[in-house]
């Protein structure tokens, strides 16, 4: 299998859940959705490639320029040129073409736990250890490969419909769009912070009863495979300039005392943004790293666990087709439940007492 050179060289593909994706299609041509836009007053004679780039933020400007050069973009009935001007009332039609890296991914019979499926979306309960998107070291056997096997039409949707993802060793719920229309709608919901994503974490120490972490997250300048939270202090102003805003709300459900003065807590986390490793980084920055998270300082001898103790428990969104609020809940997998029981948490009772997401 060809390994796409454009994919970043880590298992997370270096994209955040808040990254935008695409726009609504008009119809389908040769198996691919075709996008049509009617320019508003904002057009005002601006260059076509720049104007389209603002409306198709999932695609680079150079890629859009290639589509224009290949005759895949029209203004009215005329094949467009890159430097053409766009004016109010112009009908601009685009036939997106797959990139080399998108066409390199192959369908594979990867078992997927599908908890909901309809014409617009899929909701998966991801098992720990399963990578979401192919990247260095994980070019096959990913959720993306499994999605292409389950529904070959997803090859026509950017990232096979993936709009947000979970780290390899995080379990739980994630939604996948089956059309560009649904993908666009879901991404806009993520950008508007209206998607409810609630996680369960078991951490070292005893965090405050509740709180909100609002520290930007970016690449750790000393170790580029890690992310770091940039606290609002003077000497980090320059570093924070390359970080992205990130906010996590948390609530400590219960804490237990362990041997030799150690302690552990069960924490509910609600994402406001979707940055790489966000919960792991924010809790570590507070001083309460996840149990089992070797990357962010959680691999401590007094509690043994084979992965970060993090589970995407609840998911709530507006259905992109029916426009009704829908929600799902995935019980923690056996390893997480066993860890909670070993530590002395009454997991079922604690979770039953959690108020539904606002």
């Amino acid at each position: 299998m060809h390994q796409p050179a454009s994919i970043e060289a880590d298992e997370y593909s270096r994209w955040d859940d808040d990254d935008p994706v695409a726009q609504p299609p008009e119809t389908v041509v040769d198996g691919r959705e075709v996008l049509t836009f009617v320019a508003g007053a904002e057009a005002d004679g601006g260059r076509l490639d720049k104007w389209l780039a603002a409306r198709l933020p999932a695609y680079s400007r150079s890629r859009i320029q290639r589509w224009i050069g290949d005759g895949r973009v029209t203004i009215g009935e005329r094949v467009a040129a890159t430097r053409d001007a766009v004016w109010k009332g112009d009908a601009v039609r685009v036939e997106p073409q797959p990139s080399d890296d998108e066409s390199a991914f192959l369908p594979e019979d990867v078992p997927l736990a599908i908890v909901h499926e309809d014409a617009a979306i899929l909701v998966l309960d991801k098992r720990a250890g399963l990578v979401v998107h192919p990247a260095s070291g994980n070019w096959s056997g990913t959720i993306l490969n499994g999605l292409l096997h389950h529904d070959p039409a997803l090859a026509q949707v950017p990232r096979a419909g993936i709009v947000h993802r979970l780290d390899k060793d995080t379990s739980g719920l994630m939604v996948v769009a089956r059309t560009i229309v649904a993908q666009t709608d879901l991404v806009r919901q993520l950008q508007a912070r209206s998607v409810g994503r609630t996680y369960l974490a078991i951490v070292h120490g005893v965090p405050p009863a509740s709180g909100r972490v609002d520290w930007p997250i970016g690449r750790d300048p000393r170790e580029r495979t890690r992310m770091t939270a940039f606290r609002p202090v003077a000497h980090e102003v320059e570093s924070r300039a390359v970080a992205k805003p990130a906010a996590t709300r948390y609530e400590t459900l219960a804490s237990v005392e362990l041997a030799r003065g150690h302690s552990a807590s069960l924490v509910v986390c609600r994402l406001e943004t979707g940055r790489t490793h966000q919960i792991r980084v924010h809790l570590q920055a507070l001083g309460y790293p996840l149990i089992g998270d070797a990357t962010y300082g959680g691999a401590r001898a007094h509690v043994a666990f084979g992965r970060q103790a993090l589970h995407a428990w609840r998911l709530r969104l507006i259905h992109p087709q029916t426009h009704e609020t829908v929600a799902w809940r995935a019980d923690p997998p056996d390893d997480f439940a066993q860890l909670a029981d070993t530590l002395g948490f009454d997991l079922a009772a604690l979770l039953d007492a959690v108020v539904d997401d606002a």
Side-chain angles (χ1 to χ4, degrees):
M1 175 179 173
H2 169 63
Q3 297 182 358
S6 63
I7 297 296
E8 296 284 351
D10 71 18
E11 67 188 43
Y12 307 103
S13 300
R14 307 275 175 98
W15 47 276
D16 290 322
D17 299 347
D18 295 338
D19 288 346
V21 177
Q23 301 292 315
E26 172 197 50
T27 185
V28 176
V29 174
D30 295 331
R32 293 192 63 82
E33 291 178 286
V34 175
L35 313 179
T36 295
F37 306 91
V38 177
E42 82 292 336
D44 196 28
R47 270 180 53 146
L48 172 63
D49 59 337
K50 185 176 180 180
W51 184 84
L52 273 178
R55 278 143 193 83
L56 295 168
Y59 305 106
S60 68
R61 190 168 168 185
S62 61
R63 187 169 172 187
I64 291 170
Q65 289 170 343
R66 286 197 297 272
W67 296 345
I68 297 172
D70 291 341
R72 299 292 184 172
V73 179
T74 60
I75 300 177
E77 299 300 320
R78 174 176 57 84
V79 176
T82 300
R83 294 180 178 273
D84 279 352
V86 183
W87 299 94
K88 181 180 179 180
D90 282 345
V92 180
R93 187 170 180 270
V94 183
E95 297 179 28
Q97 301 299 301
S99 64
D100 291 340
D101 58 357
E102 286 174 344
S103 60
F105 299 138
L106 300 176
E108 296 180 46
D109 189 7
V110 177
L112 301 175
I114 298 174
V115 300
H116 173 84
E117 180 174 10
D118 60 41
I121 62 173
L122 292 164
V123 177
L124 310 177
D125 184 0
K126 174 188 165 309
R127 69 178 184 275
L130 183 59
V131 174
V132 171
H133 192 282
S136 180
N138 294 284
W139 292 112
S140 63
T142 71
I143 283 181
L144 184 144
N145 299 117
L147 288 169
L148 293 175
H149 180 271
H150 177 77
D151 181 5
L154 286 171
Q156 311 305 323
V157 183
R159 294 173 179 160
I162 295 168
V163 295
H164 69 120
R165 80 258 177 273
L166 302 176
D167 297 336
K168 176 181 178 181
D169 289 327
T170 297
S171 57
L173 294 170
M174 57 180 289
V175 63
V176 175
R178 302 187 79 170
T179 67
I180 295 179
V181 169
Q183 191 177 48
T184 299
D185 187 278
L186 291 171
V187 169
R188 287 174 175 165
Q189 290 186 52
L190 286 166
Q191 292 174 322
R193 303 186 180 185
S194 60
V195 176
R197 289 174 287 173
T198 303
Y199 290 68
L200 301 175
I202 302 179
V203 305
H204 295 286
V206 183
S210 64
R212 181 175 182 269
V213 190
D214 190 9
W215 294 336
I217 289 176
R219 289 284 159 190
D220 188 327
R222 293 164 296 184
E223 190 174 348
R224 301 295 295 171
T225 59
R226 290 166 46 101
M227 308 301 289
T228 191
F230 294 98
R231 306 186 191 192
V233 295
H235 72 274
E236 289 176 338
V237 169
E238 183 177 351
S239 295
R240 285 189 288 118
V242 299
K244 295 181 180 181
T248 305
R249 291 180 289 128
Y250 68 89
E251 175 187 357
T252 302
L253 298 184
S255 300
V256 293
E257 292 296 324
L258 305 176
R260 297 185 295 277
H262 298 297
S263 56
S265 299
L266 176 66
V267 179
V268 169
C269 297
R270 294 179 172 90
L271 291 182
E272 295 184 16
T273 57
R275 305 302 176 204
T276 302
H277 304 175
Q278 179 172 316
I279 291 174
R280 300 163 63 190
V281 170
H282 271 167
L283 290 178
Q284 185 272 337
L286 284 176
Y288 310 104
L290 271 65
I291 285 176
D293 192 347
T295 302
Y296 295 103
R300 300 182 183 179
H302 61 278
V303 180
F305 195 57
R307 64 178 179 98
Q308 65 260 12
L310 186 63
H311 175 70
W313 179 41
R314 289 177 173 175
L315 176 67
R316 188 202 70 249
L317 51 88
I318 305 298
H319 193 284
Q321 195 169 61
T322 67
H323 308 296
E324 297 178 348
T325 299
V326 288
W328 297 270
R329 168 176 169 166
D331 290 335
D334 289 345
D335 65 340
F336 191 102
Q338 289 168 4
L339 172 64
D341 183 65
T342 299
L343 293 173
F345 294 116
D346 186 346
L347 190 60
L350 289 168
L351 298 188
D352 283 345
V354 176
V355 177
D356 287 344
D357 299 342

